[in-house]
Amino acid sequence: MSFTTPPRPFDITALFPQLAPLARTATRLHPRPGSPTVHDSSAGGPLLWPADEPWPHCEEPHNSRATPVVHSPDDVRLLRHDRAAAAERLRLDPEAPHWTPEERATWERLAGRPWFDGPIPLLPVAQLYARDVPFPCPPDADLLQVLWCPFDHEMAHPRTALFWRSSATVTDVLDAPPEPPIVEQDCYLPEPCLFSPEQVTEYPNPSELDKELQEQLDDMSRWETIDPARYNTYADDPGELYLNNLSTAPGWKTGGWTRWSPTDPVDRPCPECGTEQVPLLTIASSEWDGGSGTWIAEEERTNPAPPPLGAKAGNFTLIDIVGGYNLQLHACPVSPDHPHIELIQ
């Protein structure tokens, strides 16, 4: 299924022409639950991984005191299945039991999974084919694979690893890659989703604009050509209107501009060459939130799909980054092979 972002509430460049040269193209990925194969662009799906290439592991120690209960990936899948069954049972009959004796026994049994000390196989997070999603690739690559260690490291989020490859060179695919014995949090296991890429135009976060333009955006008189009733539909003040509806798209995406919140912009020099890195991939905790409803796809408005059980509206991958933030991966424009930068915003 394809998804279509509604036109922006206003043509911001008609009011502020100086924004026009700052326009960037972003590709919204619109992940939705599906059954991806190794030949699909996906979140949490199987990877086109060469059978003769070792699967990457995290060799660093992990904090056994970070969470009281851990689960294996299969535990998480079983728990999600039982929760979905319980939700459907209650939907059909509000007087039905919240859980069956079998479900309760399963949950109690899975609460005692032991801690594991040792190298942790990385989990697939995303696979992007250049034929589906435009993004900067090395000259000999058409495929980006993103994996992560499902444990917190220096910051309270998984550490990612990027792999670039030419899909044509992978003739013998690894059938059964290893999985971690445990994951620190259930929300670090992505629900398999297919992508439905769609290109949109973005403008910088207000904090990345020069001071004069920021002041102009906050000046109510500059917005007087817009019907007040229509204006008030979207925001209480110009800053909110621009930030939530006219600058950067929420959700999973490639390219575009960096979303800044809660911090102000920071420099993003490449660790290898010092060049300012640019947005590569945003791994989002939600496709939209309470302040960004104008970005909900037209198809979701007319035929909304229920999110997986336990997810916030629009969180189809079931990933949650630090309570609802985004993990934004930035790449060096000089060479995607240079080390990438992770930002939580």
Side-chain angles (χ1 to χ4, degrees):
M1 182 175 181
S2 61
F3 293 90
T4 309
T5 298
R8 294 302 78 215
F10 317 104
D11 179 4
I12 189 64
T13 61
L15 292 177
F16 303 96
Q18 56 270 59
L19 282 171
L22 302 179
R24 286 184 184 175
T25 298
T27 302
R28 302 189 72 193
L29 298 177
H30 298 299
R32 296 297 184 272
S35 300
T37 72
V38 298
H39 302 294
D40 293 312
S41 295
S42 67
L47 304 183
L48 187 77
W49 195 270
D52 59 354
E53 183 175 325
W55 189 262
H57 288 64
C58 178
E59 305 282 347
E60 295 191 5
H62 302 98
N63 183 8
S64 62
R65 297 183 297 276
T67 181
V69 177
V70 292
H71 294 121
S72 72
D74 280 342
D75 292 346
V76 175
R77 297 181 184 109
L78 181 55
L79 289 168
R80 288 176 180 173
H81 176 273
D82 282 0
R83 290 169 188 150
E88 179 65 10
R89 183 171 60 248
L90 289 168
R91 186 187 69 83
L92 297 173
D93 179 9
E95 302 301 320
H98 283 260
W99 50 77
T100 66
E102 293 78 13
E103 290 165 353
R104 181 191 287 273
T106 297
W107 300 342
E108 292 175 350
R109 173 173 57 84
L110 297 184
R113 182 70 61 181
W115 185 259
F116 175 81
D117 284 314
I120 296 290
L122 302 191
L123 276 173
V125 177
Q127 177 167 267
L128 300 173
Y129 283 90
R131 65 166 190 260
D132 302 323
V133 183
F135 56 90
C137 290
D140 57 347
D142 66 343
L143 180 61
L144 170 62
Q145 295 169 328
V146 182
L147 299 89
W148 69 19
C149 172
F151 291 81
D152 293 335
H153 286 267
E154 295 91 348
M155 302 294 288
H157 63 79
R159 174 179 294 168
T160 56
L162 308 185
F163 294 86
W164 306 89
R165 66 178 77 252
S166 168
S167 59
T169 63
V170 184
T171 55
D172 190 8
V173 180
L174 182 64
D175 289 329
E179 286 197 322
I182 55 174
V183 297
E184 183 171 320
Q185 298 188 47
D186 295 3
C187 59
Y188 290 167
L189 178 69
E191 187 73 8
C193 288
L194 289 162
F195 289 139
S196 298
E198 177 207 19
Q199 291 191 327
V200 297
T201 300
E202 292 191 339
Y203 299 95
N205 182 283
S207 56
E208 292 205 84
L209 300 174
D210 63 59
K211 184 174 176 49
E212 180 181 359
L213 186 49
Q214 289 184 44
E215 292 175 349
Q216 291 177 8
L217 285 170
D218 287 332
D219 182 357
M220 287 292 293
S221 66
R222 300 295 294 262
W223 300 81
E224 288 178 351
T225 57
I226 298 173
D227 174 44
R230 189 160 174 253
Y231 176 101
N232 293 335
T233 300
Y234 300 105
D236 295 326
D237 62 71
E240 179 188 351
L241 174 64
Y242 178 77
L243 176 63
N244 291 336
N245 302 282
L246 304 171
S247 57
T248 56
W252 284 65
K253 65 182 181 180
T254 61
W257 284 91
T258 304
R259 285 174 66 87
W260 296 104
S261 177
T263 72
D264 291 331
V266 297
D267 293 334
R268 289 140 284 167
C270 172
E272 183 80 15
C273 68
T275 304
E276 185 83 352
Q277 295 209 348
V278 296
L280 174 64
L281 173 67
T282 297
I283 300 169
S285 297
S286 184
E287 184 83 349
W288 61 82
D289 58 30
S292 57
T294 63
W295 294 94
I296 299 174
E298 298 280 12
E299 294 78 5
E300 295 287 354
R301 297 170 185 273
T302 56
N303 185 27
L309 188 70
K312 300 186 296 294
N315 183 6
F316 298 95
T317 65
L318 292 179
I319 287 175
D320 189 281
I321 304 293
V322 200
Y325 288 99
N326 300 317
L327 177 58
Q328 300 181 89
L329 309 185
H330 287 63
C332 178
V334 174
S335 173
D337 286 323
H338 289 177
H340 68 288
I341 292 174
E342 302 171 336
L343 285 177
I344 293 290
Q345 295 293 330

